[in-house]
Amino acid sequence: MTERLKALWAERSAREQWMLGVMFALLAIVILWLGIAMPLDRAQRSVRGALREATDRNAAVRAKVKLLKSLPRGAAAGPALPLEQFVGQSAGEAGLTVERLQAQGDDRIDIAVGSVRPVALFSWLATLEAQGVRVETMSARPSPTAGSVSVQAVLVRGVGQ
């Protein structure tokens, strides 16, 4: 095969060999540009956009956390309803779907929310704190839904320490 290519190349005049060389070089440049450089550029732009969105979400969550921490922990005793019923009703009004809601005594409850936007979650928690129910512990992880988290928390009736 290479002998045949060498023979075809040798049959060409010097001018034709020069023109074919330039053509192959330009063809290689176009293939490298379209096959490597452009896809890498598109991927880089996409990642930058995703980073900007994640940074914005992070800033929004941090602002909500700061707002929640600045809320006064007044002497509110909490709602008159049983805590389990109150939290379930409040979550329904806020549009949250609670997957697990387990009472751990009269003034303590363990909840799990499968997928919720951080803004909606922190707004709901701020409402609960204003009504005398505080978050004792909470863990949040990214959920499969973009921009959402899954949350497990322990809520307690009454003022914090």
Side-chain angles (χ1 to χ4, degrees):
M1 179 79 176
T2 57
E3 294 299 322
R4 183 168 180 214
L5 288 175
K6 286 181 184 178
L8 284 173
W9 186 257
E11 290 176 4
R12 305 286 167 229
S13 69
R15 182 176 178 209
E16 288 176 331
Q17 289 177 353
W18 175 254
M19 287 178 13
L20 285 172
V22 170
M23 181 192 74
F24 289 134
L26 290 174
L27 182 63
I29 290 171
V30 168
I31 289 173
L32 287 174
W33 178 258
L34 294 176
I36 297 174
M38 286 183 65
L40 286 176
D41 184 53
R42 279 193 297 267
Q44 186 179 27
R45 288 179 189 200
S46 173
V47 167
R48 282 185 184 157
L51 177 63
R52 269 193 299 275
E53 290 175 16
T55 303
D56 291 344
R57 281 194 310 266
N58 185 13
V61 168
R62 287 180 184 270
K64 291 291 183 177
V65 167
K66 187 176 181 180
L67 176 68
L68 283 173
K69 286 183 177 180
S70 70
L71 287 176
R73 297 190 183 239
L81 295 172
L83 189 58
E84 185 176 1
Q85 180 182 354
F86 176 74
V87 170
Q89 181 181 354
S90 174
E93 291 170 358
L96 303 177
T97 304
V98 177
E99 290 181 349
R100 184 184 72 229
L101 203 129
Q102 281 182 320
Q104 297 178 341
D106 291 336
D107 294 336
R108 185 178 165 112
I109 190 167
D110 182 29
I111 66 165
V113 179
S115 180
V116 61
R117 298 239 179 238
V119 173
L121 173 69
F122 289 122
S123 296
W124 176 61
L125 290 175
T127 303
L128 286 179
E129 280 204 357
Q131 296 176 353
V133 177
R134 67 180 170 88
V135 177
E136 185 175 70
T137 62
M138 181 173 85
S139 70
R141 294 184 180 157
S143 72
T145 308
S148 297
V149 293
S150 59
V151 177
Q152 293 182 339
V154 175
L155 304 177
V156 178
R157 182 190 320 251
V159 294
Q161 281 108 2

